[in-house]
Amino acid sequence: MNQEAIDAEARKILQWSDEDFASGLITMLFLNVLEPKGIKELTVVVKDSVFTLGEGDPEKRLEKAKSVLEAELNHRGNNR
């Protein structure tokens, strides 16, 4: 890929919405770094959007993430 093509692609990417940009970065991070290291699922909240990637049923990943968040909130609430 030549520099002009790279620059053109970068300009397109910079015009994406915040959520789309974050989703793209999170997806690349998951597929290229985390999954090869053994992390098989990832759920992330960005602004008012939730991204969930990985193996299995997305709804089950969201339920698991909800449980983890509830436990964290309870833990923080108990440590005040």
Side-chain angles (χ1 to χ4, degrees):
M1 190 178 257
N2 67 33
Q3 190 61 45
E4 286 180 18
I6 292 170
D7 291 346
E9 194 64 28
R11 281 191 295 278
K12 280 193 244 177
I13 291 170
L14 290 173
Q15 293 176 2
W16 292 356
S17 70
D18 295 346
E19 290 85 358
D20 288 343
F21 187 78
S23 175
L25 286 176
I26 291 164
T27 300
M28 288 190 310
L29 174 68
F30 179 75
L31 294 174
N32 295 318
V33 178
L34 300 174
E35 191 176 42
K37 291 197 175 282
I39 296 174
K40 299 300 180 193
E41 58 187 46
L42 176 70
T43 302
V44 179
V45 176
V46 176
K47 288 188 174 183
D48 294 328
S49 298
V50 178
F51 305 103
T52 185
L53 303 163
E55 298 176 347
D57 182 3
E59 199 164 313
K60 287 183 182 178
R61 288 195 307 271
L62 290 172
E63 285 295 328
K64 184 176 178 183
K66 180 180 172 185
S67 296
V68 170
L69 286 170
E70 286 173 347
E72 178 65 19
L73 289 169
N74 287 335
H75 174 74
R76 289 177 183 225
N78 293 333
N79 287 332
R80 287 186 178 186

